[in-house]
Amino acid sequence: MNFRLQSVVGVVLPALLAAHGFSSGFAAESEREVTLAEVVVRGRATDLTGVAGAASEGSVGHLELEARPFLRRGELLEVVPGVVITQHSGGGKANQYFLRGFNLDHGTDFSVAVEGMPVNLRTHAHGQGYADLNFIVPELVQRVDYGKGPFTVEVGDFSAAGYTEFQLTDRLAAPFVKVEAGENGYARFVAGTTVDSGREAAATVGLETMRDDGPWENPDRLRRTSGMARWVWADGKGNRIALTALGFRSEWRATDQVPQRAIEEGRIGRFGSLDTSNGGDTERFSVTGDWSRREGDTVTRARLYAFRYRLDLYSNFTLFLDDPVSGDQFNQRDRRWVWGGDVDRTWKHQAQGRDWTTSVGVQVREDHIEEVGLYRTERRQRRDTVRQDAVVEGSAGVYARTQVRVSPSMRWQAGVRGDAYRFDVDSVDSRNSGVRTATLASPKVGVVLGPWAKTEWYANAGLGFHSNDARGTTIRISPATGEPVDRVDPLVRSRGVEVGVRGSWLPGWVSTISAWHLDLDSELVFVGDAGDTEVTGATRRFGVEWANYYKLNEWLSVDADLSLTRARYRDAGAEDRIANSIATVVTAGAVVGRAQGGLFGALRLRYFGEQPLIEEDRVRQPSSITLNGRIGWRRSHWEVALDVLNLLDRDNADIAYFYASRLPGEPEEGVEDVHLHPAEPRTLRCSVSRRF
């Protein structure tokens, strides 16, 4: 990356030097060896008292993931309390994410990573921070780590609402084959095996292929293939090497959201489409490397990644509003290479009778986007170009964090993160080309009190940010209207605070309660659907979350989570509602069965409350209740299960929007209406698994 980081280094380097000098000076005074604690995470029942730095931090293990009935891949994220996953288009597209009063669209302000490799794509053709999880094979996930708010120095861009990282399995317990079949042409095959290559090394491979038409009158024809090859060496003493290759390809047709009036007038059925040529195809191929070494009380880790990504997406949301003859379909096209990595060093030491843990690290990333474009099309045939760009976006971040146990009942942690960005845009319209740079420093602080009576109290505060689309930082002329437009700020500041408590008051019960507050300076965004910037104001969100997991005995566990949020634009008067901000989310579930064999089952409930669709709150989307169930039998090496999704067969809407569109025969200015994407009706899927 050909840009300098003086501003960031000027802020963070003194902190790094001070932290290192402090540790070096006092490490010699400590006569006893301190080893870094390891926490083996098997599920939400694991008590993170004494380990977590915030009430909203957590981990979910593979056993809980395996017990959940899923409709779509993105629902892996619903293991994070308060997260809602829906879809407004075809099954091959990234899902819609909702958390803490954000409509995160396809990932903005929610950071997602797999083994240190970012999933969020900046300056993406469809939307900033686009995060497509369809390449993840659930059976190959070991655990999911998550946190909320801008309180973690290791996580930078897109993390105002929170972050999650998927850790893949190092070694399968046994080779397996799984076959699934269901209604609407659904079929899935997945297999995996681990081959030991010595006492300390193992190679794991997995393959998934699936198809699904969905309940749509215009079948999805979703076809997806994913694969993983992974080699891990670990000596059991903290030294480890992991090399991972992932591959994924998908193609589909899409039933996008449709105007409610088209259903009510009988033009289409509830699962009908008004443009049967919508859809897309995408692929992602990646390699990652992870190296760590332990030397006494010090751990050094380096991770590298590189991936190739491609997307062609065809959509038509306004139908015939802009072009009464050929229609409003458009193609969003993305072609890029991404590479980057991080290096960090963590050491424990003792000074003046107190235990200290200090970490310093560096992260780099570059997106080399040879084409990010928006084109007008008709039945997937290109008619003209709205905008086409080549972009090189590079960033570097440095961070330092230290934690000290002041007393047996108090831990302090403080850190600072610095980020520098360079945006280089080469547009077909030279007026929108240019180079922008930006730097930002983000301090964080937290305190943990306890434990007392198996209870810890937390308080956290921090600054964070999200980056804006590079094209919005250099834009001068709207490609849609030809009118002058203002450029957006490259980096947008967020400010968050959170207080909470974590308790394990009964054996097997883990409960957390948190109250939080988050301000964003603005939510200026580049709208990929229009090739233009959309101006929104500063926002304020606050709320309360209560998360519970209770393992009553070896064959029964339950969980229940509640999230209440208030989200508003600041200084907006009566029109201060944030569209699609969900105020109430309730999730609950139960899992029964023994690992040794016999009958097993699961039941999951998800409720999200009604939400405003426009700023003045005169149009709202109704609430939604979804109940999913599973029943099965396992013995020895075999397992058979039946999933019933949307068990109550409710006519929910996955998502709804309010805007103007035009059907044939309607006025030229179109008709403002609710546009909805229906949730799938009751759906049955069965599976058979064999372990060898």
Side-chain angles (χ1 to χ4, degrees):
M1 290 172 288
N2 299 319
F3 64 102
R4 297 180 297 173
L5 307 177
Q6 289 97 328
S7 298
V8 171
V9 174
V11 172
V12 179
L13 187 56
L16 301 183
L17 294 175
H20 187 270
F22 186 89
S23 68
S24 300
F26 285 99
E29 298 181 11
S30 176
E31 296 182 358
R32 68 180 181 89
E33 183 178 80
V34 180
T35 58
L36 297 178
E38 293 185 357
V39 177
V40 179
V41 177
R42 293 184 174 86
R44 285 178 61 184
T46 304
D47 185 4
L48 296 180
T49 300
V51 178
S56 56
E57 284 185 18
S59 293
V60 178
H62 68 96
L63 294 179
E64 186 177 337
L65 294 174
E66 291 174 0
R68 290 186 172 223
F70 292 113
L71 172 67
R72 53 177 66 96
R73 191 57 43 86
E75 290 177 8
L76 285 167
L77 286 178
E78 288 193 349
V79 299
V80 180
V83 171
V84 172
I85 303 298
T86 68
Q87 181 59 278
H88 77 104
S89 185
K93 188 179 178 183
N95 296 131
Q96 298 283 124
Y97 307 137
F98 300 85
L99 175 65
R100 288 194 165 184
F102 284 88
N103 172 11
L104 298 162
D105 196 19
H106 300 286
T108 308
D109 286 306
F110 188 67
S111 173
V112 183
V114 175
E115 291 286 332
M117 176 180 64
V119 177
N120 304 80
L121 298 176
R122 50 202 193 185
T123 310
H124 187 267
H126 185 63
Q128 179 72 343
Y130 186 87
D132 185 358
L133 293 174
N134 284 305
F135 69 95
I136 298 176
V137 180
E139 290 82 357
L140 303 179
V141 174
Q142 180 64 26
R143 75 173 192 269
V144 181
D145 300 326
Y146 64 86
K148 300 171 189 175
F151 311 127
T152 305
V153 296
E154 293 87 350
V155 186
D157 204 357
F158 304 124
S159 62
Y163 72 89
T164 188
E165 181 165 0
F166 290 83
Q167 306 293 339
L168 303 178
T169 185
D170 287 350
R171 176 184 273 104
L172 293 169
F176 74 94
V177 173
K178 184 177 184 180
V179 178
E180 300 177 357
E183 297 181 272
N184 304 313
Y186 175 83
R188 178 174 180 258
F189 170 86
V190 58
T193 187
T194 295
V195 178
D196 289 327
S197 52
R199 267 190 326 136
E200 300 174 341
T204 301
V205 294
L207 175 68
E208 175 198 46
T209 182
M210 63 88 66
R211 54 163 293 164
D212 186 21
D213 290 336
W216 320 108
E217 295 175 11
N218 178 43
D220 253 10
R221 291 187 181 174
L222 172 63
R223 305 292 186 267
R224 179 169 65 226
T225 302
S226 303
M228 182 191 84
R230 181 171 169 85
W231 179 84
V232 178
W233 171 87
D235 65 358
K237 302 176 182 178
N239 303 307
R240 182 175 179 272
I241 300 173
L243 302 174
T244 307
L246 299 172
F248 156 76
R249 194 180 191 287
S250 178
E251 60 182 32
W252 68 96
R253 299 195 307 195
T255 296
D256 291 338
Q257 69 262 19
V258 295
Q260 187 168 290
R261 64 187 185 277
I263 299 174
E264 294 174 346
E265 294 171 3
R267 297 194 187 211
I268 58 173
R270 177 173 172 79
F271 300 102
S273 173
L274 292 165
D275 190 334
T276 58
S277 63
N278 292 335
D281 60 88
T282 187
E283 62 185 23
R284 178 178 179 133
F285 298 94
S286 65
V287 292
T288 63
D290 186 346
W291 170 87
S292 59
R293 181 177 181 182
R294 183 191 296 268
E295 299 172 291
D297 60 358
T298 301
V299 173
T300 304
R301 187 178 192 183
R303 299 186 294 186
L304 300 173
Y305 61 83
F307 63 88
R308 171 66 175 174
Y309 172 82
R310 179 186 64 80
L311 171 73
D312 268 301
L313 182 63
Y314 297 87
S315 308
N316 185 351
F317 302 139
T318 55
L319 304 172
F320 293 93
L321 181 64
D322 297 328
D323 190 327
V325 177
S326 300
D328 300 346
Q329 189 186 74
F330 56 90
N331 168 220
Q332 292 163 314
R333 186 175 172 90
D334 197 302
R335 303 285 190 276
R336 72 177 68 202
W337 286 92
V338 182
W339 51 84
D342 60 81
V343 179
D344 66 70
R345 188 174 180 88
T346 299
W347 62 95
K348 279 193 171 186
H349 53 98
Q350 193 178 61
Q352 298 177 335
R354 296 171 179 172
D355 293 330
W356 296 74
T357 303
T358 302
S359 298
V360 296
V362 179
Q363 298 170 344
V364 296
R365 172 177 173 176
E366 182 164 286
D367 291 54
H368 187 84
I369 310 169
E370 60 260 39
E371 180 185 4
V372 54
L374 175 64
Y375 310 96
R376 294 189 180 94
T377 57
E378 181 179 5
R379 301 198 64 80
R380 302 200 184 193
Q381 299 301 309
R382 188 179 299 182
R383 296 191 292 119
D384 58 68
T385 299
V386 177
R387 177 159 190 173
Q388 181 178 317
D389 304 87
V391 178
V392 178
E393 181 172 343
S395 64
V398 293
Y399 61 84
R401 171 178 52 84
T402 191
Q403 176 181 286
V404 57
R405 183 169 288 280
V406 179
S407 71
S409 58
M410 178 181 289
R411 289 183 284 136
W412 280 92
Q413 57 186 17
V416 62
R417 178 185 177 90
D419 288 274
Y421 278 70
R422 186 177 190 270
F423 308 87
D424 187 345
V425 180
D426 182 10
S427 178
V428 292
D429 185 342
S430 60
R431 296 172 296 179
N432 288 331
S433 299
V435 175
R436 292 283 300 275
T437 59
T439 59
L440 203 62
S442 304
K444 332 269 186 178
V445 65
V447 61
V448 184
L449 303 176
W452 299 300
K454 299 183 179 180
T455 303
E456 274 193 335
W457 299 82
Y458 306 85
N460 301 84
L463 303 183
F465 73 98
H466 73 243
S467 64
N468 270 322
D469 191 299
R471 294 168 292 176
T473 69
T474 63
I475 192 171
R476 292 180 175 84
I477 302 296
S478 167
T481 66
E483 298 294 323
V485 294
D486 295 329
R487 300 185 298 176
V488 304
D489 294 329
L491 305 178
V492 178
R493 170 66 77 200
S494 59
R495 300 171 177 85
V497 295
E498 179 181 282
V499 295
V501 60
R502 181 188 306 271
S504 183
W505 301 298
L506 293 173
W509 179 27
V510 177
S511 182
T512 61
I513 303 173
S514 59
W516 57 274
H517 183 284
L518 183 65
D519 284 353
L520 268 69
D521 282 351
S522 74
E523 297 192 25
L524 293 172
V525 295
F526 184 90
V527 183
D529 299 349
D532 210 339
T533 54
E534 179 179 284
V535 180
T536 63
T539 59
R540 172 163 294 161
R541 295 171 171 87
F542 57 87
V544 177
E545 293 176 341
W546 184 22
N548 299 272
Y549 186 91
Y550 190 10
K551 188 169 182 59
L552 287 84
N553 51 50
E554 65 170 336
W555 58 269
L556 175 61
S557 62
V558 296
D559 64 271
D561 305 321
L562 170 66
S563 178
L564 304 174
T565 302
R566 188 179 191 272
R568 298 288 189 272
Y569 288 109
R570 288 147 51 191
D571 306 320
E575 299 183 1
D576 64 347
R577 303 303 175 96
I578 301 176
N580 296 116
S581 59
I582 300 177
T584 305
V585 176
V586 178
T587 58
V591 177
V592 296
R594 289 182 169 87
Q596 298 90 332
L599 288 172
F600 65 91
L603 198 64
R604 294 218 57 82
L605 170 72
R606 185 192 70 182
Y607 166 85
F608 61 83
E610 63 178 21
Q611 56 197 269
L613 298 184
I614 52 177
E615 288 76 5
E616 57 265 36
D617 199 25
R618 60 183 173 85
V619 183
R620 298 178 70 84
Q621 176 182 345
S623 60
S624 170
I625 297 176
T626 303
L627 188 66
N628 295 334
R630 169 179 294 171
I631 186 170
W633 174 84
R634 67 170 66 96
R635 184 173 181 180
S636 184
H637 303 295
W638 289 93
E639 180 177 301
V640 180
L642 173 68
D643 289 357
V644 185
L645 307 169
N646 191 4
L647 183 64
L648 303 179
D649 200 26
R650 290 177 58 89
D651 290 336
N652 297 322
D654 253 350
I655 195 169
Y657 306 94
F658 187 81
Y659 58 85
S661 63
R662 182 177 183 272
L663 299 170
E666 291 184 335
E668 290 185 4
E669 64 274 16
V671 177
E672 288 191 332
D673 195 5
V674 173
H675 294 68
L676 62 89
H677 188 267
E680 297 195 19
R682 182 188 296 122
T683 302
L684 275 64
R685 294 176 180 174
C686 63
S687 63
V688 178
S689 303
R690 174 73 162 91
R691 295 186 180 275
F692 300 91

